Amino acid sequence: MKFFKSKFFIITLIAAVSVAAVFTAMSLLGYSSYIKAGLNFLTVPVQKLSDAVGRALDGYASYITEFDRLKKENEELKEQINGMLDDIQSAKAVKEENDELCRMLEVKKEHLDYKFEPADIIGREDGNYMTVFTLGRGKSNGIDKDMPIISSNSGLIGRITDAGLTWSKASSVVDVGSSVGAYDERSRASGIVVGDYELGLRGLCKLSYLQSDADIEAGDRILTSGVGSVYPRGLIIGTVMEVKYDESLRTKYAVIKPYAEISGLTSVMVITSYERYVED
Amino acid sequence: MRRISAAAAARMILTAVYTFIAVLMQCSVFPHLRFLGAIPEFTLCVIVCVSCFEDEKFSCVLAVAAGFLLDTVGGDAYTLSPVLFLLAACFSIILSHRITTTKIIPAAISGGTALIVGAAKATLILAGKGAAFSAVIVKTALPQLLYGLIVLIPAFLLTALHYRVFRGSFEQSRRRAREREVI
């Protein structure tokens, strides 16, 4: 091509090479050039504008280029969170179990003569007139019929009504037909805690057969008297909610709120042996 | 001396502005749009494409000026771009004179070649500064080349659009000149 042999091209080529050589040499030797400084001065405002555009696009570019990485990171973090939630759940369960065992230990310390057999509630049969728990332990663990069961806070729950080799059934004090010899901790007034159909529906029971002049007030604690062969003396049955008078029998009775929170139980302690109370 | 028509002058001025914007984009916008950590040689792509369409003299001057401006604004210690851009423009001019049926092929060939040379330049400079040769090729040269090939497509399309707009005004001014001669 003729153009590449023209003076114009040769001059342009020489100019380009000269510019490259001179400015590279100056830059390497540490001399700044006024031409470069001037050009930079002139282009700075426009550069700022284009840089602003670039910054505005930065987020979008990151969205495209970083998407896969962020997606992967997000999945990893989700897995980590799920793992942590599982850990938290396990820790909560362990803590609850630990608290339960600690309370049981306290009960054991309070009643040195008691022999306990802890048992988990593996089934709960809520009927219209009775509540039966199925425990995961039975005769092979020393559990037998008519053994009292208590909660971890020493509250009386009820007694074993039936026992198999590896299982047992228990009924609570609020069941109709249940009767426990009891007394008022404050006044020593004695009576029998019995299950009542209507009260049982609300999770309550009543202290009957009180003397008409018995000193009993709302808020009093009711304990087992130890009379009979099932329950040891001194177990907390519940607290008095209100005191009423039975016109037909001409006696007082008290509505009792069981101390053990029966509805939320997950494990109980079966008292397999204790020192019998002998009344003076 | 050859006279330049008003339309041609306007076209050249706008081409220069377009190239100037390309330089600014390479220095300010593309650093925010890195692909695999590389910035494309967008200005080189524009110069190659412009050289396929534009007058030879103007292309050569524009290539040198754009190279110098890029190294100045970009703060490159090595002012090698004027020579590289001039050679790329020359190669593009030669190819576009040989292949007259289309502009895509000369732009693609000369653009690809120039980008390879650009990547080689970056490799040599970085290797000269002590960076591991293989690492420079993998982490800089190849991404730069790949990104350059990607931006070559929009650069060509923009340039073609730019000249398509001006082709109409070119033909109109030629027609008027012919009419004046007839009168």
Side-chain angles (χ1 to χ4, degrees):
Chain A
M1 275 180 74
K2 281 183 181 177
F3 171 70
F4 294 109
K5 290 172 187 170
S6 68
K7 276 184 188 174
F8 182 88
F9 178 73
I10 292 164
I11 290 166
T12 311
L13 185 62
I14 292 167
V17 174
S18 307
V19 164
V22 169
F23 282 97
T24 304
M26 281 175 73
S27 180
L28 291 174
L29 292 169
Y31 296 106
S32 61
S33 84
Y34 290 109
I35 299 170
K36 274 195 168 185
L39 267 175
N40 270 321
F41 178 76
L42 288 172
T43 54
V44 159
V46 195
Q47 255 188 290
K48 278 184 182 173
L49 183 70
S50 58
D51 189 54
V53 175
R55 280 174 195 277
L57 291 170
D58 207 7
Y60 296 103
S62 307
Y63 181 78
I64 296 161
T65 56
E66 300 276 288
F67 184 77
D68 287 341
R69 189 184 66 77
L70 290 172
K71 193 179 170 190
K72 195 181 170 190
E73 193 178 315
N74 187 34
E75 280 168 5
E76 284 172 2
L77 287 171
K78 270 184 184 171
E79 274 178 23
Q80 274 184 24
I81 288 169
N82 286 337
M84 284 174 178
L85 287 173
D86 287 346
D87 289 348
I88 289 168
Q89 201 59 40
S90 305
K92 272 184 182 173
V94 169
K95 189 181 178 298
E96 278 173 13
E97 192 181 345
N98 187 45
D99 290 346
E100 191 89 355
L101 290 170
C102 284
R103 283 196 292 269
M104 285 181 179
L105 193 66
E106 287 297 316
V107 174
K108 274 191 173 183
K109 281 178 185 172
E110 281 174 23
H111 305 279
L112 293 170
D113 58 317
Y114 291 2
K115 282 190 179 168
F116 293 105
E117 186 61 39
D120 288 331
I121 294 174
I122 58 170
R124 194 185 284 267
E125 294 151 38
D126 285 322
N128 287 328
Y129 56 91
M130 66 186 297
T131 303
V132 177
F133 309 111
T134 306
L135 307 181
R137 295 198 172 192
K139 284 182 177 170
S140 60
N141 305 101
I143 295 172
D144 214 339
K145 196 179 173 185
D146 285 337
M147 285 181 173
I149 56 171
I150 60 169
S151 65
S152 55
N153 62 358
S154 273
L156 181 70
I157 295 168
R159 64 187 175 91
I160 301 290
T161 53
D162 195 6
L165 195 64
T166 57
W167 56 270
S168 50
K169 301 271 182 187
S171 67
S172 74
V173 286
V174 299
D175 280 338
V176 180
S178 158
S179 63
V180 185
Y183 69 96
D184 185 309
E185 190 182 29
R186 182 182 57 81
S187 66
R188 302 279 162 176
S190 60
I192 296 172
V193 172
V194 293
D196 180 87
Y197 172 68
E198 284 184 15
L199 291 173
L201 294 174
R202 290 152 56 198
L204 306 171
C205 51
K206 72 176 181 182
L207 177 62
S208 301
Y209 306 112
L210 289 166
Q211 296 292 324
S212 56
D213 59 344
D215 178 15
I216 191 159
E217 291 173 4
D220 286 355
R221 284 212 307 182
I222 305 300
L223 311 180
T224 52
S225 62
V227 178
S229 57
V230 177
Y231 302 102
R233 186 180 174 82
L235 292 175
I236 307 165
I237 299 171
T239 50
V240 176
M241 286 182 74
E242 58 181 320
V243 181
K244 289 184 174 178
Y245 189 75
D246 190 334
E247 293 288 346
S248 59
L249 295 172
R250 295 181 180 277
T251 55
K252 274 184 181 177
Y253 72 91
V255 177
I256 309 293
K257 185 179 188 305
Y259 191 63
E261 198 62 56
I262 293 167
S263 59
L265 284 173
T266 54
S267 61
V268 294
M269 288 196 294
V270 182
I271 302 172
T272 53
S273 76
Y274 60 93
E275 280 180 16
R276 302 278 169 182
Y277 171 72
V278 181
E279 205 166 4
D280 295 330
Chain B
M1 201 173 165
R2 194 180 68 179
R3 276 190 180 180
I4 301 168
S5 68
R11 190 188 70 233
M12 284 176 184
I13 290 165
L14 277 176
T15 306
V17 171
Y18 167 52
T19 312
F20 178 64
I21 291 168
V23 172
L24 287 175
M25 279 184 73
Q26 187 170 332
C27 295
S28 307
V29 178
F30 279 107
H32 296 282
L33 300 171
R34 287 173 184 270
F35 172 69
L36 300 171
I39 300 166
E41 291 264 24
F42 185 61
T43 316
L44 183 59
C45 295
V46 168
I47 289 293
V48 164
C49 297
V50 164
S51 303
C52 289
F53 293 91
E54 193 52 85
D55 173 70
E56 300 100 337
K57 286 181 181 175
F58 178 71
S59 298
C60 290
V61 172
L62 188 71
V64 175
F68 181 63
L69 187 68
L70 181 68
D71 283 348
T72 304
V73 175
D76 200 335
Y78 302 91
T79 315
L80 300 175
S81 296
V83 180
L84 175 66
F85 282 19
L86 179 63
L87 294 175
C90 292
F91 190 47
S92 188
I93 290 163
I94 293 167
L95 285 176
S96 62
H97 277 82
R98 293 274 166 86
I99 307 163
T100 51
T101 49
T102 178
K103 299 288 183 190
I104 297 170
I105 295 168
I109 295 170
S110 53
T113 311
L115 286 169
I116 290 169
V117 176
K121 182 195 95 176
T123 308
L124 287 173
I125 289 171
L126 288 169
K129 285 179 178 174
F133 193 73
S134 55
V136 171
I137 287 178
V138 173
K139 290 181 180 173
T140 302
L142 285 177
Q144 183 183 315
L145 178 62
L146 186 63
Y147 201 1
L149 289 171
I150 292 166
V151 296
L152 181 63
I153 298 163
F156 178 80
L157 293 173
L158 280 170
T159 313
L161 183 71
H162 175 66
Y163 283 96
R164 178 156 289 198
V165 170
F166 275 97
R167 193 168 61 184
S169 65
F170 241 168
E171 285 169 359
Q172 199 176 20
S173 60
R174 279 177 185 168
R175 213 181 307 123
R176 280 176 188 166
R178 255 185 263 123
E179 283 169 2
R180 254 183 265 125
E181 279 174 15
V182 170
I183 293 163

